[in-house]
Amino acid sequence: MSLFLTGLVRRTLPTTSGTGTATAIAATRRWMQTATSGAALLSSRLSAAATTTTIKSGLVTTERSLIAPSTSRLPLNILGQSIRSFASKKHKAVIRQSKGFRGRSKNCFKIAVRRLHKSWQYAYRDRRRKKREWRKLWIQKIGAAVRQYNWNYSTFINGLNKSNIQLNRKSLANLGAYEPFTMKAIVDIVNATAPRAVA
């Protein structure tokens, strides 16, 4: 972060009323131009210089506020302040990932970063919950497919294991939904190997 050191360089010019004030102002302007050209030589040490002129009780006072260069390695803007590079990139990344959130969670960093962290927690949890939900759906499809052949799900899976048929539940669910004749053949094999039909 930039360290600001303010030094005051004062130049006092005597003035009189009337035209004397205008003459003093003109002289001050010429001095300011000379100081500006001299400040160009100090640009390697100074990051910025602000000049103000005030007239008090017949005297013209010129103040130049000198700002010391920043000790940070970050680039400086025109006011000598360090430009935020990493923070801005981090903020942009958070806002980009929070696109579509409700309310200010999509464009206000302070709210978006907390909502984004919570969304990561939900994603971690639901990556595991998704597998459970699909497995439950496959079991329901298999149960509906074998029920018409007087089998329930648990008995059918037991007979399937005894018959040494290595088909997972996803494949069996797809066969029961889209290949009824193939499913009927599998049920016949299980019935011949382990005949335990439900009355």
Side-chain angles (χ1 to χ4, degrees):
M1 188 174 183
S2 300
L3 300 176
F4 293 88
L5 301 177
T6 305
L8 299 180
V9 180
R10 298 178 178 271
R11 179 180 176 89
T12 303
L13 299 176
T15 61
T16 58
S17 60
T19 58
T21 303
T23 305
I25 294 176
T28 303
R29 288 179 181 173
R30 288 194 300 271
W31 178 83
M32 289 172 58
Q33 293 175 357
T34 306
T36 303
S37 61
L41 301 177
L42 300 176
S43 60
S44 60
R45 298 181 180 179
L46 300 178
S47 60
T51 304
T52 58
T53 302
T54 56
I55 300 176
K56 293 182 180 179
S57 65
L59 297 179
V60 177
T61 302
T62 303
E63 297 181 358
R64 298 180 66 245
S65 177
L66 306 180
I67 303 175
S70 173
T71 58
S72 174
R73 294 184 179 180
L74 297 177
L76 304 179
N77 59 11
I78 192 172
L79 298 178
Q81 301 170 345
S82 60
I83 300 175
R84 288 175 16 181
S85 58
F86 173 77
S88 296
K89 291 179 182 178
K90 182 177 67 173
H91 289 190
K92 290 178 182 178
V94 169
I95 296 301
R96 183 174 63 252
Q97 294 180 68
S98 61
K99 182 179 180 181
F101 288 1
R102 178 176 292 184
R104 289 197 299 161
S105 298
K106 63 179 177 294
N107 52 19
C108 181
F109 172 78
K110 186 175 181 180
I111 303 174
V113 67
R114 292 181 294 191
R115 179 52 54 190
L116 183 62
H117 290 172
K118 191 65 177 178
S119 70
W120 291 342
Q121 295 176 10
Y122 288 144
Y124 178 86
R125 178 200 66 188
D126 291 335
R127 279 194 296 269
R128 285 143 185 82
R129 179 179 289 182
K130 180 180 179 181
K131 299 175 178 62
R132 305 171 202 158
E133 297 297 330
W134 276 105
R135 184 182 174 90
K136 289 194 293 185
L137 178 63
W138 296 333
I139 290 173
Q140 292 175 4
K141 287 185 176 182
I142 294 171
V146 300
R147 194 172 297 119
Q148 58 184 334
Y149 305 113
N150 296 326
W151 285 81
N152 60 18
Y153 169 78
S154 60
T155 308
F156 175 75
I157 291 297
N158 184 31
L160 196 71
N161 294 330
K162 290 180 179 180
S163 302
N164 199 20
I165 298 177
Q166 298 179 355
L167 287 176
N168 57 20
R169 288 166 179 78
K170 180 179 179 180
S171 301
L172 289 173
N174 290 332
L175 290 177
Y178 304 110
E179 297 290 339
F181 295 105
T182 305
M183 192 67 183
K184 176 65 168 57
I186 294 174
V187 172
D188 291 341
I189 294 174
V190 172
N191 197 13
T193 306
R196 189 185 174 186
V198 176

